[in-house]
Amino acid sequence: MARLTHTVTVAPLDRGWFEEAAGTLVDLLDGSRARADGSVLLADGRAVAGLRLLKGRHLRSGARYGEAPEPVKPGADGRVPAGSGTAGAADGLARPGTDGAADGSARPGTDGAADGSARPGTVGAGAAGGSSGSGADGCVPAPGPSATVGAVVLRAWRPAHSVEVESRVAEDGLALRLKVRLSEPRRPRALGLSLSGHRPAGGSLYRFSGRGAADLAAWWAAVDRLPSALPAARPPVTARAAHRLAKARLTVTPHPADDGSWRITVVLSMRGRWLLRPVGAVALFFARRPVERGFREAVENAAAQWNTTLAELTPQHGEALRVEIADALTEPEPDKTVPGGPTDPWGPADIGGPEAR
């Protein structure tokens, strides 16, 4: 088993500002509404950039969200290519040349509905909410090797208790499922996540899983200690990853420094499984220095990004903070492309992929 340790110094995050910002974000989203075309509007009437309700009721369990598709440009003959078109009518039924509506029905020449089902000449919008341009034969091509299909399913929205979301992404033939649960989101106390992935065309060697947990209450207690006190005995942040051939465990422990900054100790433990244990030990013996160097560089790069991000933040409060977060939610990203795909590799939203163990 290999055990790598590295400690870095980072700028501290003000707890009061962090909790105020989290509460403001939750309140803005809790006061939003969805229009018939799927766009999500804040209370002031501005649309959340790139976000579209694809299926279900807004802020209800099972609601599926994706990025808004790019506008469809008519061809030289003035016609809209097959597999693209305008939004469906208010009754939710899609007509030829329209996007499938919330009930999931779509006709030939339309984008598939939110459930991801597609028919000849259609694009299943359920996975990404996007569409693709048609080819020379009028059919919509399947996504290329680098195409990304993604969707976010809301599992629970209880701002006073917890928020749970599930993100599903397929890219380069690899299907990923990430589940995130935030406890007491207005004043976050704990964050839990699980990640699983597989390649649909591959075997068990292409499957992996992981779990992580951040006890935010324990984190704040750890950084509130005196610099002369002993570090926390239990790391507030832990993560585990498992593959058929190897396992890994990551811990993150903070400790206050004399100048008010935080000293973060990151520990990574790895070990092979089955017959790879002796092979991995031999390989690590010869490659330990490059592995340790790569680990240190990764931790230091993460610390540098943290410091850069905090330096750019303006600690606004009250209404000024609310306006700043609302502007960030509604400001469109420049040159944003949203590739689409015909299928959701995970299937319906309520069917789970491989779970982390």
PDB file of all heavy atoms in Angstrom, residues 50-71:
ATOM      1  N   GLY A  50     -28.772  29.054 -19.656  1.00  0.00           N
ATOM      2  CA  GLY A  50     -28.438  27.698 -20.050  1.00  0.00           C
ATOM      3  C   GLY A  50     -29.225  26.607 -19.372  1.00  0.00           C
ATOM      4  O   GLY A  50     -28.924  25.425 -19.562  1.00  0.00           O
ATOM      5  N   LEU A  51     -30.244  26.943 -18.574  1.00  0.00           N
ATOM      6  CA  LEU A  51     -30.975  25.926 -17.828  1.00  0.00           C
ATOM      7  C   LEU A  51     -32.395  25.798 -18.371  1.00  0.00           C
ATOM      8  O   LEU A  51     -33.067  26.796 -18.626  1.00  0.00           O
ATOM      9  CB  LEU A  51     -31.029  26.285 -16.344  1.00  0.00           C
ATOM     10  CG  LEU A  51     -31.672  25.238 -15.428  1.00  0.00           C
ATOM     11  CD1 LEU A  51     -30.853  23.959 -15.436  1.00  0.00           C
ATOM     12  CD2 LEU A  51     -31.784  25.777 -14.009  1.00  0.00           C
ATOM     13  N   ARG A  52     -32.834  24.545 -18.524  1.00  0.00           N
ATOM     14  CA  ARG A  52     -34.148  24.286 -19.089  1.00  0.00           C
ATOM     15  C   ARG A  52     -34.780  23.092 -18.381  1.00  0.00           C
ATOM     16  O   ARG A  52     -34.120  22.081 -18.159  1.00  0.00           O
ATOM     17  CB  ARG A  52     -34.015  23.993 -20.582  1.00  0.00           C
ATOM     18  CG  ARG A  52     -35.324  23.732 -21.310  1.00  0.00           C
ATOM     19  CD  ARG A  52     -35.039  23.327 -22.737  1.00  0.00           C
ATOM     20  NE  ARG A  52     -36.252  23.103 -23.504  1.00  0.00           N
ATOM     21  CZ  ARG A  52     -36.277  22.578 -24.716  1.00  0.00           C
ATOM     22  NH1 ARG A  52     -35.147  22.224 -25.296  1.00  0.00           N
ATOM     23  NH2 ARG A  52     -37.409  22.406 -25.358  1.00  0.00           N
ATOM     24  N   LEU A  53     -36.034  23.222 -18.012  1.00  0.00           N
ATOM     25  CA  LEU A  53     -36.779  22.109 -17.444  1.00  0.00           C
ATOM     26  C   LEU A  53     -37.203  21.198 -18.584  1.00  0.00           C
ATOM     27  O   LEU A  53     -37.944  21.606 -19.480  1.00  0.00           O
ATOM     28  CB  LEU A  53     -38.003  22.626 -16.679  1.00  0.00           C
ATOM     29  CG  LEU A  53     -38.939  21.556 -16.098  1.00  0.00           C
ATOM     30  CD1 LEU A  53     -38.212  20.746 -15.026  1.00  0.00           C
ATOM     31  CD2 LEU A  53     -40.197  22.206 -15.519  1.00  0.00           C
ATOM     32  N   LEU A  54     -36.738  19.956 -18.554  1.00  0.00           N
ATOM     33  CA  LEU A  54     -37.016  19.021 -19.630  1.00  0.00           C
ATOM     34  C   LEU A  54     -38.187  18.096 -19.326  1.00  0.00           C
ATOM     35  O   LEU A  54     -38.876  17.637 -20.235  1.00  0.00           O
ATOM     36  CB  LEU A  54     -35.774  18.165 -19.915  1.00  0.00           C
ATOM     37  CG  LEU A  54     -34.492  18.929 -20.264  1.00  0.00           C
ATOM     38  CD1 LEU A  54     -33.345  17.957 -20.452  1.00  0.00           C
ATOM     39  CD2 LEU A  54     -34.704  19.775 -21.515  1.00  0.00           C
ATOM     40  N   LYS A  55     -38.381  17.795 -18.053  1.00  0.00           N
ATOM     41  CA  LYS A  55     -39.436  16.854 -17.698  1.00  0.00           C
ATOM     42  C   LYS A  55     -39.814  17.050 -16.237  1.00  0.00           C
ATOM     43  O   LYS A  55     -38.964  17.345 -15.409  1.00  0.00           O
ATOM     44  CB  LYS A  55     -38.970  15.413 -17.924  1.00  0.00           C
ATOM     45  CG  LYS A  55     -40.049  14.365 -17.680  1.00  0.00           C
ATOM     46  CD  LYS A  55     -39.518  12.977 -17.957  1.00  0.00           C
ATOM     47  CE  LYS A  55     -40.594  11.920 -17.734  1.00  0.00           C
ATOM     48  NZ  LYS A  55     -40.092  10.557 -17.985  1.00  0.00           N
ATOM     49  N   GLY A  56     -41.088  16.858 -15.921  1.00  0.00           N
ATOM     50  CA  GLY A  56     -41.545  16.949 -14.545  1.00  0.00           C
ATOM     51  C   GLY A  56     -41.939  18.363 -14.147  1.00  0.00           C
ATOM     52  O   GLY A  56     -41.990  19.278 -14.963  1.00  0.00           O
ATOM     53  N   ARG A  57     -42.195  18.540 -12.852  1.00  0.00           N
ATOM     54  CA  ARG A  57     -42.579  19.840 -12.304  1.00  0.00           C
ATOM     55  C   ARG A  57     -41.361  20.504 -11.670  1.00  0.00           C
ATOM     56  O   ARG A  57     -40.565  19.859 -11.000  1.00  0.00           O
ATOM     57  CB  ARG A  57     -43.688  19.679 -11.274  1.00  0.00           C
ATOM     58  CG  ARG A  57     -44.992  19.128 -11.853  1.00  0.00           C
ATOM     59  CD  ARG A  57     -46.040  19.002 -10.777  1.00  0.00           C
ATOM     60  NE  ARG A  57     -46.343  20.305 -10.176  1.00  0.00           N
ATOM     61  CZ  ARG A  57     -47.097  20.469  -9.100  1.00  0.00           C
ATOM     62  NH1 ARG A  57     -47.605  19.412  -8.481  1.00  0.00           N
ATOM     63  NH2 ARG A  57     -47.309  21.680  -8.613  1.00  0.00           N
ATOM     64  N   HIS A  58     -41.265  21.782 -11.871  1.00  0.00           N
ATOM     65  CA  HIS A  58     -40.119  22.553 -11.378  1.00  0.00           C
ATOM     66  C   HIS A  58     -40.002  22.435  -9.860  1.00  0.00           C
ATOM     67  O   HIS A  58     -40.992  22.574  -9.118  1.00  0.00           O
ATOM     68  CB  HIS A  58     -40.286  24.013 -11.793  1.00  0.00           C
ATOM     69  CG  HIS A  58     -39.156  24.903 -11.356  1.00  0.00           C
ATOM     70  ND1 HIS A  58     -37.830  24.606 -11.584  1.00  0.00           N
ATOM     71  CD2 HIS A  58     -39.167  26.096 -10.686  1.00  0.00           C
ATOM     72  CE1 HIS A  58     -37.081  25.562 -11.090  1.00  0.00           C
ATOM     73  NE2 HIS A  58     -37.859  26.474 -10.531  1.00  0.00           N
ATOM     74  N   LEU A  59     -38.787  22.133  -9.392  1.00  0.00           N
ATOM     75  CA  LEU A  59     -38.468  22.002  -7.973  1.00  0.00           C
ATOM     76  C   LEU A  59     -39.301  20.924  -7.285  1.00  0.00           C
ATOM     77  O   LEU A  59     -39.618  21.024  -6.095  1.00  0.00           O
ATOM     78  CB  LEU A  59     -38.640  23.349  -7.238  1.00  0.00           C
ATOM     79  CG  LEU A  59     -37.708  24.472  -7.692  1.00  0.00           C
ATOM     80  CD1 LEU A  59     -37.926  25.715  -6.839  1.00  0.00           C
ATOM     81  CD2 LEU A  59     -36.248  24.043  -7.646  1.00  0.00           C
ATOM     82  N   ARG A  60     -39.631  19.888  -8.053  1.00  0.00           N
ATOM     83  CA  ARG A  60     -40.309  18.729  -7.484  1.00  0.00           C
ATOM     84  C   ARG A  60     -39.449  17.493  -7.746  1.00  0.00           C
ATOM     85  O   ARG A  60     -38.715  17.435  -8.725  1.00  0.00           O
ATOM     86  CB  ARG A  60     -41.704  18.534  -8.095  1.00  0.00           C
ATOM     87  CG  ARG A  60     -42.685  19.640  -7.763  1.00  0.00           C
ATOM     88  CD  ARG A  60     -43.040  19.656  -6.279  1.00  0.00           C
ATOM     89  NE  ARG A  60     -44.086  20.632  -5.974  1.00  0.00           N
ATOM     90  CZ  ARG A  60     -43.870  21.885  -5.659  1.00  0.00           C
ATOM     91  NH1 ARG A  60     -42.621  22.348  -5.641  1.00  0.00           N
ATOM     92  NH2 ARG A  60     -44.877  22.692  -5.372  1.00  0.00           N
ATOM     93  N   SER A  61     -39.570  16.510  -6.872  1.00  0.00           N
ATOM     94  CA  SER A  61     -38.783  15.299  -7.023  1.00  0.00           C
ATOM     95  C   SER A  61     -39.014  14.674  -8.398  1.00  0.00           C
ATOM     96  O   SER A  61     -40.161  14.512  -8.827  1.00  0.00           O
ATOM     97  CB  SER A  61     -39.162  14.304  -5.929  1.00  0.00           C
ATOM     98  OG  SER A  61     -38.451  13.095  -6.077  1.00  0.00           O
ATOM     99  N   GLY A  62     -37.926  14.343  -9.079  1.00  0.00           N
ATOM    100  CA  GLY A  62     -38.005  13.746 -10.402  1.00  0.00           C
ATOM    101  C   GLY A  62     -37.875  14.732 -11.534  1.00  0.00           C
ATOM    102  O   GLY A  62     -37.765  14.317 -12.700  1.00  0.00           O
ATOM    103  N   ALA A  63     -37.879  16.022 -11.247  1.00  0.00           N
ATOM    104  CA  ALA A  63     -37.722  17.017 -12.312  1.00  0.00           C
ATOM    105  C   ALA A  63     -36.365  16.864 -12.973  1.00  0.00           C
ATOM    106  O   ALA A  63     -35.358  16.689 -12.295  1.00  0.00           O
ATOM    107  CB  ALA A  63     -37.898  18.422 -11.745  1.00  0.00           C
ATOM    108  N   ARG A  64     -36.348  16.928 -14.302  1.00  0.00           N
ATOM    109  CA  ARG A  64     -35.102  16.765 -15.045  1.00  0.00           C
ATOM    110  C   ARG A  64     -34.756  18.067 -15.749  1.00  0.00           C
ATOM    111  O   ARG A  64     -35.604  18.679 -16.401  1.00  0.00           O
ATOM    112  CB  ARG A  64     -35.232  15.638 -16.068  1.00  0.00           C
ATOM    113  CG  ARG A  64     -33.949  15.369 -16.835  1.00  0.00           C
ATOM    114  CD  ARG A  64     -34.122  14.254 -17.842  1.00  0.00           C
ATOM    115  NE  ARG A  64     -34.473  12.996 -17.201  1.00  0.00           N
ATOM    116  CZ  ARG A  64     -34.387  11.818 -17.810  1.00  0.00           C
ATOM    117  NH1 ARG A  64     -33.968  11.761 -19.058  1.00  0.00           N
ATOM    118  NH2 ARG A  64     -34.730  10.713 -17.172  1.00  0.00           N
ATOM    119  N   TYR A  65     -33.514  18.470 -15.620  1.00  0.00           N
ATOM    120  CA  TYR A  65     -33.052  19.724 -16.186  1.00  0.00           C
ATOM    121  C   TYR A  65     -31.871  19.469 -17.122  1.00  0.00           C
ATOM    122  O   TYR A  65     -31.118  18.510 -16.959  1.00  0.00           O
ATOM    123  CB  TYR A  65     -32.608  20.701 -15.088  1.00  0.00           C
ATOM    124  CG  TYR A  65     -33.692  21.082 -14.113  1.00  0.00           C
ATOM    125  CD1 TYR A  65     -33.964  20.293 -12.997  1.00  0.00           C
ATOM    126  CD2 TYR A  65     -34.458  22.229 -14.302  1.00  0.00           C
ATOM    127  CE1 TYR A  65     -34.960  20.637 -12.103  1.00  0.00           C
ATOM    128  CE2 TYR A  65     -35.456  22.579 -13.408  1.00  0.00           C
ATOM    129  CZ  TYR A  65     -35.709  21.785 -12.306  1.00  0.00           C
ATOM    130  OH  TYR A  65     -36.698  22.119 -11.421  1.00  0.00           O
ATOM    131  N   GLY A  66     -31.716  20.361 -18.078  1.00  0.00           N
ATOM    132  CA  GLY A  66     -30.580  20.302 -18.986  1.00  0.00           C
ATOM    133  C   GLY A  66     -30.284  21.686 -19.505  1.00  0.00           C
ATOM    134  O   GLY A  66     -30.960  22.666 -19.150  1.00  0.00           O
ATOM    135  N   GLU A  67     -29.299  21.772 -20.361  1.00  0.00           N
ATOM    136  CA  GLU A  67     -28.953  23.060 -20.944  1.00  0.00           C
ATOM    137  C   GLU A  67     -29.856  23.343 -22.126  1.00  0.00           C
ATOM    138  O   GLU A  67     -30.249  22.435 -22.861  1.00  0.00           O
ATOM    139  CB  GLU A  67     -27.489  23.067 -21.379  1.00  0.00           C
ATOM    140  CG  GLU A  67     -26.525  23.006 -20.201  1.00  0.00           C
ATOM    141  CD  GLU A  67     -25.086  23.028 -20.659  1.00  0.00           C
ATOM    142  OE1 GLU A  67     -24.823  22.568 -21.777  1.00  0.00           O
ATOM    143  OE2 GLU A  67     -24.232  23.503 -19.901  1.00  0.00           O
ATOM    144  N   ALA A  68     -30.190  24.606 -22.303  1.00  0.00           N
ATOM    145  CA  ALA A  68     -31.024  24.994 -23.429  1.00  0.00           C
ATOM    146  C   ALA A  68     -30.287  24.741 -24.735  1.00  0.00           C
ATOM    147  O   ALA A  68     -29.103  25.043 -24.851  1.00  0.00           O
ATOM    148  CB  ALA A  68     -31.396  26.482 -23.322  1.00  0.00           C
ATOM    149  N   PRO A  69     -30.953  24.162 -25.741  1.00  0.00           N
ATOM    150  CA  PRO A  69     -30.280  23.886 -27.009  1.00  0.00           C
ATOM    151  C   PRO A  69     -29.976  25.160 -27.755  1.00  0.00           C
ATOM    152  O   PRO A  69     -30.601  26.197 -27.540  1.00  0.00           O
ATOM    153  CB  PRO A  69     -31.300  23.032 -27.762  1.00  0.00           C
ATOM    154  CG  PRO A  69     -32.626  23.473 -27.213  1.00  0.00           C
ATOM    155  CD  PRO A  69     -32.358  23.781 -25.755  1.00  0.00           C
ATOM    156  N   GLU A  70     -29.018  25.065 -28.660  1.00  0.00           N
ATOM    157  CA  GLU A  70     -28.673  26.212 -29.491  1.00  0.00           C
ATOM    158  C   GLU A  70     -29.817  26.509 -30.461  1.00  0.00           C
ATOM    159  O   GLU A  70     -30.558  25.604 -30.867  1.00  0.00           O
ATOM    160  CB  GLU A  70     -27.398  25.922 -30.285  1.00  0.00           C
ATOM    161  CG  GLU A  70     -26.169  25.791 -29.422  1.00  0.00           C
ATOM    162  CD  GLU A  70     -24.946  25.496 -30.275  1.00  0.00           C
ATOM    163  OE1 GLU A  70     -25.067  24.734 -31.248  1.00  0.00           O
ATOM    164  OE2 GLU A  70     -23.894  26.041 -29.978  1.00  0.00           O
ATOM    165  N   PRO A  71     -29.994  27.774 -30.843  1.00  0.00           N
ATOM    166  CA  PRO A  71     -31.033  28.101 -31.814  1.00  0.00           C
ATOM    167  C   PRO A  71     -30.790  27.365 -33.128  1.00  0.00           C
ATOM    168  O   PRO A  71     -29.662  27.188 -33.559  1.00  0.00           O
ATOM    169  CB  PRO A  71     -30.881  29.623 -31.990  1.00  0.00           C
ATOM    170  CG  PRO A  71     -30.146  30.079 -30.779  1.00  0.00           C
ATOM    171  CD  PRO A  71     -29.259  28.949 -30.377  1.00  0.00           C
TER     172      PRO A  71
END
